[in-house]
Amino acid sequence: MTPRTSRRAAILLTVSTALIGLINPVSAYPKGKTIHVTEGNSIQNAIASAKGGDKIVVEKGTYHEQLTISSDGISLVGHDATIVPPDSPVTNACSGLAGDNKQAGICVAGSGILFNTTFDGEHHKVISVGDYVKDVSVEGFSVQGFTGINIAVVGAKDASIRHNTMSDGAQYGALTVGSKDSHINHNTVNAAGGPLNPFHFIGICMDDTSTVTITYNDISGYFIGLCVQTSGAIIHDNSVHDCCIGAFVDPGIDGAKLHDNVITNTPPECGFGWGIRVQGATKTSLKGNNISGIVGTPANPGVGISVADDVGDPTSTGDIASGNTAEQNTLKNNDIDIELTSTGKGNVFKNNDCTVSTPANICPNN
Ligand SMILES: *[C@@H]1O[C@H](CO)[C@@H](O)[C@H](O)[C@H]1NC(C)=O
Ligand SMILES: *[C@@H]1O[C@H](CO)[C@@H](O)[C@H](O)[C@H]1NC(C)=O
């Protein structure tokens, strides 16, 4: 080998190692150990002893704990493990996030997080994050009955929350806020008694600073199934049923994509219903969603897809909905399938399978 070809080989080797590093984030951690936790022992102690690359397997049982994960590269795997509130609450990074004295079941949290002290009735907004916690995954747990949030992701990067069941979280089933590249997939989020008795506010909410992916979740029994507060959010193949509002896209949110979700059935106690409500958001893409059984009262009819400006009440932002597109959605058995009240430009409805609309000319079948 000439010096020249060997140098090329060395460069190639460096390049390919760099590529492997890029496509496989797991390689950022040494091959870790598996730590087993059995009923009667502390999951939090196991988390404290774990290093990046380690997997903590929690065996069958009920654990009265509030967990915090704030080191990189930890996977927490439940095998028929249930997390319920401890007798006395623990104070951690997620305490108070969803209101004073409200707690989270599992809290994935970075450090140096600066919260806005104003509480808007939903959660404290994140102003900045000192150090993101990276590559944490939580899967296979049943998390039940926390006063704030069953599973919270705050100031994290590349967190993955999957195949968990979150039941009866009073304010939220799952919330990701101030995070990057969160993935919330294949979870079941439900609430006994439905949205109002007692009040169960939001199934899954995303209020992140970069792309978030919310897919294949089954959400039911919440006032709002999906709260969309992240521009560019990717939300598809979720099933949302028995909620007052299937998905709410907030004022000022740009470019959220909601595709192939199935949204059905408004509980009668809601007294109104929205399948998907786009309120003062821009460039939302609604495509291939299947929305049925959204019903309200004669005074407040249920609406499958509603695009409106955020105006008309004291807390309104005045944001105008514009550039939103709804296409190839299927809408059946709703009081009103599609409603456009926005005064904004470029809101387009096309090729939807629907019958009843306001104004009357935006469904092809009437
Ligand atoms: C905190 O939230 C309030 C209310 O939304 C807002 O007016 C204020 O600008 C926020 N503060 C910071 C520092 O972001
Ligand atoms: C969409 O809804 C209709 C009923 O309105 C149902 O027959 C069909 O199977 C649904 N499609 C999907 C993908 O869920």
Side-chain angles (χ1 to χ4, degrees):
M1 217 194 266
T2 67
R4 207 169 140 195
T5 53
S6 75
R7 202 183 65 198
R8 250 186 78 187
I11 291 169
L12 277 176
L13 189 68
T14 315
V15 167
S16 62
T17 319
L19 278 177
I20 290 165
L22 271 179
I23 60 175
N24 182 5
V26 173
S27 72
Y29 306 97
K31 185 167 162 35
K33 58 185 183 303
T34 300
I35 304 169
H36 288 268
V37 181
T38 51
E39 193 168 23
N41 293 298
S42 157
I43 305 170
Q44 190 66 53
N45 285 351
I47 294 170
S49 73
K51 298 199 167 42
D54 287 353
K55 176 161 130 179
I56 301 168
V57 174
V58 180
E59 303 296 352
K60 183 179 167 70
T62 299
Y63 299 79
H64 297 254
E65 288 192 67
Q66 276 168 253
L67 305 176
T68 307
I69 308 176
S70 29
S71 47
D72 296 351
I74 306 286
S75 11
L76 190 63
V77 179
H79 287 174
D80 206 2
T82 300
I83 313 281
V84 296
D87 293 337
S88 345
V90 171
T91 298
N92 63 26
C94 295
S95 298
L97 174 58
D100 285 350
N101 303 318
K102 292 189 178 172
Q103 304 295 345
I106 300 181
C107 172
V108 177
S111 54
I113 301 171
L114 187 61
F115 290 101
N116 192 324
T117 51
T118 306
F119 180 64
D120 64 2
E122 297 183 9
H123 58 266
H124 287 277
K125 303 273 178 193
V126 169
I127 295 169
S128 63
V129 176
D131 206 359
Y132 289 87
V133 61
K134 301 177 190 72
D135 306 315
V136 169
S137 70
V138 174
E139 66 178 281
F141 286 89
S142 172
V143 185
Q144 300 179 357
F146 285 84
T147 50
I149 308 152
N150 278 339
I151 301 185
V153 176
V154 192
K157 185 164 187 315
D158 292 305
S160 172
I161 307 298
R162 54 183 185 253
H163 297 286
N164 301 285
T165 299
M166 301 167 231
S167 304
D168 308 329
Q171 185 91 341
Y172 293 95
L175 168 67
T176 177
V177 53
S179 297
K180 297 182 173 181
D181 303 310
S182 294
H183 296 263
I184 302 185
N185 307 327
H186 295 279
N187 301 282
T188 299
V189 180
N190 55 28
L196 303 183
N197 298 304
F199 189 54
H200 292 109
F201 194 12
I202 296 173
I204 300 181
C205 188
M206 60 228 78
D207 182 9
D208 280 345
T209 48
S210 74
T211 311
V212 54
T213 310
I214 311 288
T215 66
Y216 299 98
N217 300 287
D218 186 291
I219 304 168
S220 61
Y222 275 86
F223 186 70
I224 300 173
L226 291 156
C227 114
V228 183
Q229 303 182 331
T230 304
S231 290
I234 297 168
I235 300 165
H236 64 82
D237 292 287
N238 299 286
S239 169
V240 184
H241 52 103
D242 304 293
C243 294
C244 300
I245 302 171
F248 190 98
V249 186
D250 268 42
I253 297 305
D254 187 63
K257 296 177 180 59
L258 291 93
H259 294 182
D260 301 300
N261 301 288
V262 177
I263 303 179
T264 57
N265 195 33
T266 320
E269 68 265 28
C270 296
F272 79 104
W274 281 318
I276 300 177
R277 169 79 164 183
V278 174
Q279 186 163 316
T282 55
K283 299 201 198 82
T284 313
S285 164
L286 308 176
K287 190 172 178 186
N289 300 290
N290 196 343
I291 304 179
S292 61
I294 306 302
V295 294
T297 62
N300 290 305
V303 184
I305 295 178
S306 168
V307 176
D309 299 331
D310 189 37
V311 293
D313 84 37
T315 59
S316 297
T317 57
D319 287 341
I320 303 298
S322 67
N324 300 291
T325 304
E327 59 183 320
Q328 296 170 25
N329 300 287
T330 301
L331 300 110
K332 300 260 189 283
N333 304 320
N334 308 299
D335 291 338
I336 296 171
D337 292 326
I338 285 183
E339 172 189 79
L340 174 63
T341 61
S342 169
T343 58
K345 290 195 170 57
N347 295 306
V348 175
F349 289 86
K350 61 184 181 193
N351 302 329
N352 296 292
D353 181 358
C354 59
T355 313
V356 186
S357 71
T358 307
N361 60 357
I362 50 179
C363 282
N365 307 343
N366 61 356

